[in-house]
Amino acid sequence: MGELLKVDKMKTEFQTEKGTVTSVDEVSFDLNEGETICLVGESGCGKSVTSLSIMHLLDRNGSISEGSILFEDKDLANASEAAMRKIRGNEISMIFQEPMTSLNPVLTIGDQLTEGIRLHMHYSKKKARAYSIDMLKKVGIPRAESIIDEYPHKLSGGMRQRVMIAMALSCKPKLLIADEPTTALDVTIQAQILKLMKKLREESNTAIILITHDLGVVAEMADKVAVMYAGQVVEETDVFTLFDNPKHPYTLGLMRSIPHITNPDDMRLESIQGSVPSVHNMPKGCRFYDRCPHAMQRCLEEKPQLKPIEDKQSHSIRCFLYEKEEQDYENKKKAKE
Ligand code: SF4
Ligand code: MG
C-alpha cells in the first residue's frame, strides 16, 4: 500500500468582517491507497473545511495559509486552479450530505453523469452513455436505462445519493471524499449506501476520507480515525485502538455519548458538558480546557501539540496528560511553590 495523501500542519483561514478567522489549524493526517480514514467530531469542528481545503472548494474568502497537502507528488496546497480542475472529479471526487444541492435540477441524470466522463475519460457520447448506464447499475439503480433520462427530482433521496456515488466514482478516482454521505438518509438506505461504498472500495482500491459524527459508521467503515475538535486533530490512530484504548479526554467524552448498547431502550445521547470555543475567541492554551475533566494549569497557558504516544508511532494525541515531560513539569512547579 503506497502513501497517497499527506496533509501536514494545514491551516485554513477565512477573511470576515470581524477579522481573520482560523477554521482549521495544524491539521495533519495521512492516507494510503485503498485506505479509509474517518474524520469525526461535533459539527463546526473543521471536518468539512478540511475536505473543502483539499479540494480547493472553499468559499472565496477562505484559503489555506500554511502547511502542505501532498497528493502523490503534487502539493495541492499550492496548486493552481487549472491543475485542480484536472484533479477534481477525476483523481479526487467528492460526495456531499444532500445530493440535491450538488445535482443540477434542470439537467437529466444522464447529462450530468456523462459530462464528467466525456471530459476526463475522453469517451464519445455513445460510449459515455453506455458507461453511465453501467455505473448506475453498479450502484444498484433499477431500470437504469430509463432512469438515465430522468431529472433529479423524480428520484428518492437514497436514489439521488446513489447517482452522486456513481458520478463520483465514474472516473475511478484514487481518492473519494464523502462528507456525511448518509446523514440525510434513513437507516436502511444508509446501510445500503455504506455497503456499496465498501464494495466499490474493494473493487477499485479507492482511498476514502469519510466525514461523519456517527461512531457506528466509523466502526463499520474506518481503517483509521482522526478525531477533530475546534479545528484541530486531537487524536489519530487505527480504528481498533480508537475503540479499545481511546485516550484524549474529548475522544473519551465522545465514546460515552454512544447510545447504550446494553440497553437498546435507552438511546439517550449523553453529550459533553459545555460548548466548543468560538473561532473569534480561541483559548491561548488547550482548546478543550473548558470542558476537560483533567484540565491542569499548564493546559491554560500552553498549546498541546499532536504527538505520538510512547513508542507507538501510529497513535497520536494532542494532550499534555500523555507527555512524558508532564510529570517533570508538575514536579518542578511543586518544587518552586
Ligand atoms: Fe484536558 Fe489539558 Fe489534555 Fe487539554 S491538554 S485535553 S485541557 S488534560
Ligand atoms: Mg460538515
Side-chain angles (χ1 to χ4, degrees), residues 14 55 93 154 175 192 201-202 205 220 230 233 249 269 290 298 329-330:
F14 290 88
M55 291 293 269
S93 33
K154 292 274 186 160
L175 174 63
Q192 288 171 6
R201 172 179 69 189
E202 271 148 36
N205 204 31
E220 175 92 23
V233 174
L269 286 174
D290 278 345
R298 183 185 182 188
Y329 180 92
E330 286 294 305

Side-chain angles (χ1 to χ4, degrees), residues 20 22 91 195 301:
T20 303
T22 305
E91 293 181 68
K195 204 171 146 200
E301 293 157 2

